[in-house]
Amino acid sequence: MVDKALWRRGAALGATVLIGATALAACGGGDSGDDGPLKMVVWGGDLDKETYQARIDLFEAENPDTKIDLQLIPSDQYAQKVQTMIAGGDGPDIMQVAENVNSYSSKSQLLPLDEYIDDAGLDMEERFGPVGSLYTYEDETYAIPDRSGAMILYYNKDLFDAAGVEYPTAEWTQQDAQAAMEKLTVPGEQWGFSGAGWWAQWWSFAYQNGGQIIDDSGKPTVNSPEVVDALQWANDLQYKYHYAPTAAEYADMGPDMGGDPAFAAGTVAMNATGFWGIGGLLESDINWGIAPLWGGQEQAVSAFGSGLSITRDSDNPQKAFEAIDFLTDTEAQTVIIDKAQDVPANIQVQQSDAFLKPAWAPEGLNMAAFGESSEFIFRAPFIPEWEEMQAAFNDNLGTFWNEGGDAKTELDKIQTQLESIIE
């Protein structure tokens, strides 16, 4: 999926930030006006641009009559720039989307893709597994999964060995994790865990408790006992038990310090994050491994991903869909893992040697942890008010994460705010 800094600042992915768009141009789209290239927009950095372009090159080699112009927008500017394009009637043909996809589909800014899917004979479940139905709104599909990986647990093997702690597995409980954190913590020098102040982390704990952020009827339930307990535990790991660095302790480590760089530096023993953490670790000297995140009353973990959609301004949605179909099939998806960009959404690629034994991976790296984690991914509430919901959490939990506090008090305030935001 998308980079972690974006999700954190975003409104996300944190985690948080992302988009979607499409409906037939000029009330019916049509396939005319197809002389020019398709315009495709994505977010990210140099690696993302390189990887998407390599996949586009494969498509163009097999479809010489169709060209795609790729535009990469920095993550923190993506939402605003793409919305401006759509509002001005100049939306791209193909657009990367993620958690706030339904901010756009709910406004008829994205083209429903079900007819194209049916005409192409694309079996969404066969190609993508459970995430095949992820980007839907009111029973219609608005994006095709492209990248999709669970949050996993990175661990420092040398620190575990020194503390006499067994390496983590999917069978670990929250209690097992806390016991390991205690043994792995050296006050003032080393922490057992990087912390869980990011929504994707502590939401996982809430769903492990049997809680929900938005219930099945679409109502917010953030002050339920299950969610309160999860948020309080996440905070207590820092301010009560001191098994994870506080905000002030991270600041003392240096500028822009957080879980990912602290883990790469060997300062924390465990770090829960996405695939992108691998990039920095390939340059690190620590001896690291990966495993599925632990569970609670049940197993649940956040997933990060993105899909490809078609905006309402596309002059040739049929060709745009053909490109998306190709980009999410096995050949093009294999490029994603070959370049160590992300987890491909394509299940066949996830189960291939190209994914399980990539050339860039350290010997013995358990890449199967991603596939194992996919069995207990919870479906985050991709509501139309996604950005407003994330803003409510960010605005109300700043002091709580910086100084500690009472989760029930904060979540009661957020519950009231969400009840006024979510229809």
Side-chain angles (χ1 to χ4, degrees):
M1 186 153 191
V2 100
D3 84 39
K4 184 171 182 177
L6 168 99
W7 285 62
R8 286 184 186 274
R9 296 186 194 103
L13 15 293
T16 257
V17 74
L18 310 152
I19 326 174
T22 295
L24 290 172
C27 279
D31 291 336
S32 59
D34 56 350
D35 293 333
L38 299 173
K39 180 165 61 177
M40 177 176 175
V41 297
V42 300
W43 63 77
D46 291 343
L47 175 60
D48 301 292
K49 184 175 183 179
E50 176 187 343
T51 305
Y52 280 112
Q53 188 60 58
R55 296 164 66 198
I56 288 170
D57 291 345
L58 289 176
F59 171 77
E60 292 181 344
E62 292 196 18
N63 300 272
D65 294 335
T66 303
K67 301 298 180 184
I68 300 176
D69 283 345
L70 177 67
Q71 179 181 356
L72 185 135
I73 301 173
S75 300
D76 58 353
Q77 302 173 26
Y78 188 84
Q80 180 179 358
K81 286 196 173 184
V82 174
Q83 183 58 72
T84 298
M85 294 166 69
I86 296 171
D90 190 31
D93 296 278
I94 301 171
M95 173 181 168
Q96 185 182 11
V97 300
E99 292 77 25
N100 67 347
V101 56
N102 292 324
S103 300
Y104 297 86
S105 63
S106 65
K107 300 172 186 175
S108 299
Q109 294 178 321
L110 297 181
L111 177 67
L113 301 179
D114 300 274
E115 289 188 11
Y116 295 95
I117 292 169
D118 291 342
D119 290 346
L122 172 57
D123 188 324
M124 297 286 282
E125 183 175 1
E126 180 181 19
R127 183 177 290 187
F128 306 111
V131 302
S133 61
L134 188 62
Y135 301 104
T136 58
Y137 179 71
E138 296 184 344
D139 298 322
E140 292 189 293
T141 303
Y142 286 92
I144 305 299
D146 185 46
R147 296 156 57 181
S148 177
M151 181 167 67
I152 58 170
L153 187 66
Y154 293 75
Y155 61 96
N156 185 313
K157 292 182 178 181
D158 290 342
L159 297 185
F160 269 71
D161 292 344
V165 178
E166 294 291 329
Y167 296 158
T169 71
E171 284 68 46
W172 265 23
T173 65
Q174 292 177 1
Q175 291 74 27
D176 294 327
Q178 183 168 332
M181 293 175 201
E182 181 179 11
K183 294 178 180 179
L184 291 160
T185 296
V186 179
E189 298 180 14
Q190 174 182 306
W191 289 262
F193 184 49
S194 60
W198 183 32
W199 69 264
Q201 294 164 329
W202 73 265
W203 282 22
S204 293
F205 304 157
Y207 281 80
Q208 289 174 3
N209 287 352
Q212 292 179 294
I213 302 300
I214 305 294
D215 69 16
D216 294 337
S217 69
K219 303 297 183 183
T221 53
V222 299
N223 64 346
S224 68
E226 296 84 359
V227 179
V228 170
D229 287 348
L231 181 60
Q232 191 65 61
W233 184 60
N235 195 261
D236 285 349
L237 293 177
Q238 295 174 282
Y239 294 98
K240 180 179 179 179
Y241 302 114
H242 304 286
Y243 299 155
T246 64
E249 287 168 334
Y250 271 127
D252 288 342
M253 295 179 198
D256 300 319
M257 183 58 70
D260 292 359
F263 178 79
T267 306
V268 299
M270 291 186 288
N271 183 38
T273 191
F275 180 94
W276 56 81
I278 288 176
L281 292 173
L282 294 178
E283 307 295 327
S284 172
D285 293 330
I286 69 170
N287 182 18
W288 57 281
I290 58 177
L293 187 69
W294 59 75
Q297 296 177 22
E298 53 192 73
Q299 285 189 301
V301 67
S302 297
F304 312 106
S306 63
L308 298 176
S309 64
I310 305 173
T311 78
R312 66 185 178 194
D313 297 323
S314 176
D315 287 329
N316 200 327
Q318 177 61 47
K319 282 193 174 181
F321 183 83
E322 290 171 2
I324 291 173
D325 189 12
F326 181 94
L327 294 172
T328 59
D329 211 343
T330 53
E331 181 183 12
Q333 288 269 293
T334 300
V335 177
I336 297 174
I337 193 62
D338 285 346
K339 292 186 176 292
Q341 181 200 23
D342 207 340
V343 178
N346 189 295
I347 292 296
Q348 184 177 343
V349 177
Q350 287 187 23
Q351 296 172 346
S352 70
D353 282 347
F355 183 82
L356 297 174
K357 300 177 181 179
W360 47 261
E363 184 177 355
L365 186 64
N366 179 28
M367 292 293 289
F370 290 99
E372 187 176 354
S373 299
S374 68
E375 298 176 8
F376 41 89
I377 288 172
F378 70 84
R379 179 166 179 165
F382 288 6
I383 58 174
E385 302 87 358
W386 173 268
E387 292 180 355
E388 295 91 334
M389 176 175 66
Q390 287 296 339
F393 282 113
N394 293 339
D395 293 344
N396 286 282
L397 293 180
T399 300
F400 178 79
W401 288 121
N402 286 330
E403 301 176 8
D406 180 69
K408 180 67 161 61
T409 300
E410 304 306 327
L411 290 175
D412 280 343
K413 292 187 291 187
I414 295 172
Q415 175 73 19
T416 298
Q417 190 170 343
L418 292 183
E419 288 174 353
S420 68
I421 291 172
I422 299 172
E423 298 181 359

